[in-house]
Amino acid sequence: MAIDDRFIDELTARCDIVDIVSRYVALKKSGNNYFGLCPFHNEKTASFSVAPDKQIFHCFGCGAGGGPIRFIMNIEGLDFPDAVRFLAKQYNMEVPESGENPRRRQERKRVLAALKDAARFFYAQLHSPVGAQALQYFQQRRLSRRTMGNFGLGYAPDSFHALLDAMTEKGYTKEELEAAGLIARSQNGTYYDKFRNRVMFPIIDVRGDVIGFGGRVMDDSKPKYLNSPETMVFNKRRNLFAMNLAKKTKSEYFLLAEGYMDVIALHQAGFDSAVASLGTALTDEQARLLTRYTKTVIVCYDADTAGQTASQRAIDILKKAGLRVKILRIPGAKDPDEFIKAKGAEAFRKLIERSDNDIRYRIESARDKYDFTEDDQRILFLREAAGIIAALENQVERDVYTASTAKLAGVTQTAFQQEVKNAQTRLKYQQKQQYHRQVRAPAQAAQPKERTIHYDNVRSARAEEGLLALLFSDASLLPDMREKVSPEDFSSPVLGKIYGHAIALFDSGRSITVSALEHVLQPEETELLVSALRAEIPADQRQKAMEDYIDIIAEQKAARDIPGQDGEDPLLRKAQLQRKTKRFDGTEG
């Protein structure tokens, strides 16, 4: 989609990046900037900053960075056009659709239409003589007609071309059906239905569009579940099954289940906030989607070992997204569906009321691994539990769980307190070691965090970064700057590219901002630019700083232009010498 540049400028001028980011991240002001925990990687110390004067965000930990549009792209899992639409809607602006690629827009429209018609086809098949076995399958699972209708459940006939024939009669081409993930092509070039002899679960996004399907066999054949492939409208990492229904709930919590049938059974029993991931482990994108609708998630995965392992992983992802997490233990049943059938909805509601918070769950899970009749097993449990408690930042929480865990294991609270302190010491040492590893090599520290970008000449590249920081802070410097240095003078092709784009913005009368370049730069290039813009140079020193940076760039370019010279700076030479010395003295392989 080629959205008019002027519209992008107007939209980003209206955006307040602090307001946008604070809807997802708890921010605290420190000096001129705001800081919080990065939503894009797991951290306990706030390294995520937002600069309102520059309208940019940057994480010192993982390197993520950009303007308002890039933030929405990352946090919502959207491409550039959809992120623009997302922000435009918030600011009551209408995106000029005339700039969109008409062919792309038409392809997307046809794919969505095909998926909707396919859902109607599968639904009709379920309630036809062909679908008698599938209907009986759902009825044996105690699903009512109303529930089947609410979820649009269907049946894919045991045929290689039933759907293909029905859809081509409606005017869809084979290419459109393949793009929708409904049919596939064999090695000899013939097309066939992707879903055959399966009960069908339409996957519907929060806007109400059918974007894909999950198909389940009715016997023990493999694969048990078959999901739609990734398409232009379907990304399984960014969607949750039944979110289109759950988003309407008045419940204060969401239930996160493992499978489609669990979710459907929960909804039928009155738990209308149930959702499930789409055939994969929970993702960061799905957790962020949940934050738009709730603050509390109760994980009710299967009671088997795999389900418990998945629960442990889900805890970290959900907490990273800022959600309050509780874990549901399901006694005497393998999953919510089985429990509700055996004990009823009211019994399940009582389970929810008794659900554990994530720390208690982890300690109880650790308890289940050890035999307390053996002293060495009890010691192992206490060490594992101490590691869990030591990671808590709140002293009161640590004291509460220290007391309850000591009682659980049959040891004195004083003794276990010492074990927790030892675990804290080990944790701090590990964090310190990690920090030292990050800063140990000066040359590596001088390189961009993004490994696909490498500075061959660190000294020149740092001056080039400084020049860009000046330019994006004060565009009035550009006329003088461009007379003395061109994009071709830059040692870093990426930085030279950004400099060239900035000149083009200036020449077209547009403001030189990060937001103005987000649709022409790759994500890693935007992050590099934002990292460079961290430099703060007082207005009265900018002219002198510019001259110094230009001198360094010119000096390094001259060295590169001399035959036999590469302009390599002392920092890299020192690092190389250190590596050679380590190899010779045996301290490093």
Side-chain angles (χ1 to χ4, degrees):
M1 176 181 180
I3 303 174
D4 182 70
D5 290 337
R6 301 291 174 179
F7 179 82
I8 299 296
D9 290 345
E10 184 181 351
L11 173 63
T12 53
R14 293 193 192 186
C15 289
D16 178 350
I17 196 164
V18 174
D19 177 59
I20 292 168
V21 173
S22 61
R23 297 171 196 173
Y24 304 86
V25 180
L27 296 175
K28 291 184 179 179
K29 190 172 185 181
S30 178
N32 294 327
N33 297 337
Y34 292 78
F35 290 85
L37 295 176
C38 180
F40 307 121
H41 82 288
N42 197 9
E43 64 175 9
K44 294 183 179 179
T45 303
S47 61
F48 181 84
S49 69
V50 179
D53 57 332
K54 299 173 183 175
Q55 286 292 289
I56 59 173
F57 70 92
H58 175 72
C59 177
F60 294 86
C62 68
I69 298 174
R70 177 63 60 184
F71 181 80
I72 292 299
M73 289 173 69
N74 291 356
I75 201 78
E76 293 288 348
L78 302 174
D79 59 16
F80 184 82
D82 282 342
V84 170
R85 292 190 187 97
F86 184 95
L87 282 173
K89 185 176 181 181
Q90 293 186 11
Y91 289 92
N92 297 315
M93 297 174 68
E94 186 174 346
V95 180
E97 296 292 342
S98 59
E100 184 177 8
N101 183 325
R103 181 179 177 183
R104 179 75 173 175
R105 188 169 70 241
Q106 181 62 18
E107 286 176 357
R108 181 183 176 85
K109 183 178 179 181
R110 290 289 289 174
V111 164
L112 288 172
L115 289 163
K116 187 174 183 179
D117 279 337
R120 288 170 173 162
F121 171 80
F122 293 138
Y123 181 83
Q125 294 300 301
L126 177 66
H127 298 283
S128 73
V130 173
Q133 182 187 0
L135 185 61
Q136 184 180 23
Y137 171 84
F138 284 134
Q139 289 170 340
Q140 288 174 343
R141 300 296 294 262
R142 301 186 194 177
L143 297 187
S144 67
R145 285 256 179 175
R146 182 177 180 180
T147 296
M148 287 185 245
N150 287 343
F151 282 88
L153 303 184
Y155 171 65
D158 189 9
S159 165
F160 279 92
H161 52 78
L163 177 66
L164 176 59
D165 291 345
M167 297 295 281
T168 50
E169 277 187 28
K170 285 183 171 290
Y172 294 101
T173 67
K174 292 181 177 67
E175 290 73 22
E176 288 172 336
L177 298 175
E178 186 179 20
L182 295 170
I183 64 173
R185 188 169 13 186
S186 66
Q187 290 183 345
N188 63 12
T190 59
Y191 288 94
Y192 60 91
D193 290 357
K194 187 170 182 63
F195 298 99
R196 303 180 303 281
N197 195 29
R198 290 175 181 269
V199 289
M200 299 298 291
F201 303 87
I203 300 166
I204 303 172
D205 67 11
V206 293
R207 289 170 289 197
D209 292 325
V210 179
I211 56 175
F213 293 94
R216 189 194 192 284
V217 296
M218 294 170 283
D219 53 24
D220 295 327
S221 58
K222 302 293 181 182
K224 182 178 179 181
Y225 279 99
L226 180 65
N227 292 313
S228 288
E230 301 278 309
T231 68
M232 66 192 307
V233 300
F234 179 55
N235 184 320
K236 60 188 176 184
R237 294 182 60 85
R238 299 175 183 172
N239 293 278
L240 288 162
F241 179 70
M243 182 56 89
N244 60 306
L245 299 174
K247 71 174 186 176
K248 304 170 187 174
T249 186
K250 290 183 170 54
S251 175
E252 294 181 352
Y253 57 81
F254 266 53
L255 294 170
L256 180 63
E258 274 196 78
Y260 302 137
M261 286 304 304
D262 285 332
V263 169
I264 295 171
L266 285 165
H267 276 258
Q268 181 169 275
F271 303 98
D272 62 354
S273 64
V275 295
S277 52
L278 302 170
T280 63
L282 185 72
T283 67
D284 292 331
E285 294 92 335
Q286 290 166 342
R288 289 197 291 268
L289 177 59
L290 283 165
T291 63
R292 292 165 57 181
Y293 301 98
T294 188
K295 293 181 179 178
T296 303
V297 173
I298 300 176
V299 179
C300 45
Y301 283 171
D302 292 357
D304 59 15
T305 302
Q308 299 310 299
T309 301
S311 294
Q312 295 277 4
R313 183 179 181 278
I315 289 171
D316 292 331
I317 292 173
L318 293 167
K319 292 193 74 173
K320 173 184 167 184
L323 290 159
R324 180 172 176 242
V325 185
K326 301 182 79 175
I327 307 294
L328 192 72
R329 290 179 175 269
I330 307 174
K334 65 180 177 64
D335 55 39
D337 184 20
E338 185 178 281
F339 183 91
I340 290 171
K341 285 183 174 64
K343 304 290 180 66
E346 189 56 36
F348 192 81
R349 196 176 302 279
K350 289 179 180 178
L351 279 186
I352 291 175
E353 292 171 359
R354 298 197 303 269
S355 56
D356 290 336
N357 65 42
D358 62 291
I359 301 302
R360 189 178 298 115
Y361 171 78
R362 280 180 157 155
I363 292 173
E364 289 287 345
S365 295
R367 164 69 181 86
D368 294 341
K369 290 160 53 179
Y370 300 101
D371 179 4
F372 274 21
T373 63
E374 301 287 340
D375 288 343
D376 59 340
Q377 290 278 297
R378 206 148 42 115
I379 291 169
L380 290 173
F381 161 73
L382 288 168
R383 285 179 179 170
E384 183 173 342
I388 295 169
I389 296 170
L392 294 172
E393 295 182 3
N394 185 282
Q395 180 64 51
V396 174
E397 284 187 293
R398 286 200 299 270
D399 289 345
V400 168
Y401 288 112
T402 297
S404 61
T405 304
K407 185 177 180 181
L408 176 66
V411 298
T412 66
Q413 184 173 337
T414 302
F416 187 53
Q417 274 179 333
Q418 185 58 51
E419 187 64 40
V420 173
K421 287 180 180 177
N422 292 341
Q424 283 181 283
T425 301
R426 288 193 297 270
L427 182 62
K428 288 178 181 177
Y429 176 77
Q430 290 168 0
Q431 292 171 341
K432 186 177 181 180
Q433 288 294 101
Q434 183 179 5
Y435 172 77
H436 284 318
R437 282 195 296 270
Q438 291 174 346
V439 302
R440 189 172 295 148
Q444 186 58 41
Q447 291 289 345
K449 279 187 173 291
E450 174 54 52
R451 293 186 177 183
T452 61
I453 301 174
H454 181 80
Y455 291 157
D456 292 329
N457 188 312
V458 174
R459 178 171 166 77
S460 182
R462 286 306 188 200
E464 293 154 20
E465 285 185 355
L467 215 57
L468 290 175
L470 287 171
L471 179 55
F472 277 75
S473 297
D474 187 354
S476 68
L477 295 172
L478 184 57
D480 190 20
M481 193 182 293
R482 71 192 300 183
E483 283 187 11
K484 300 173 181 177
V485 64
S486 69
E488 291 73 25
D489 295 331
F490 279 40
S491 66
S492 165
V494 174
L495 296 177
K497 171 185 174 181
I498 295 171
Y499 183 50
H501 281 307
I503 292 172
L505 287 175
F506 184 85
D507 289 343
S508 63
R510 299 176 62 200
S511 298
I512 300 177
T513 65
V514 172
S515 297
L517 296 181
E518 285 187 312
H519 66 298
V520 296
L521 297 180
Q522 296 299 316
E524 62 272 15
E525 294 170 344
T526 302
E527 291 172 0
L528 180 65
L529 171 59
V530 168
S531 178
L533 299 189
R534 287 179 294 161
E536 297 284 354
I537 301 175
D540 61 347
Q541 298 177 24
R542 289 173 182 168
Q543 184 67 35
K544 177 64 167 61
M546 180 184 73
E547 293 170 358
D548 289 343
Y549 289 143
I550 290 174
D551 285 345
I552 293 171
I553 293 169
E555 167 196 305
Q556 294 300 308
K557 182 179 184 298
R560 291 196 303 274
D561 290 344
I562 298 173
Q565 299 290 325
D566 59 5
E568 184 181 59
D569 56 280
L571 188 58
L572 279 177
R573 285 200 298 272
K574 180 181 178 182
Q576 290 166 353
L577 180 60
Q578 287 175 336
R579 285 197 295 271
K580 289 178 181 178
T581 303
K582 286 180 180 179
R583 283 199 298 271
F584 286 131
D585 66 19
T587 58
E588 187 175 287

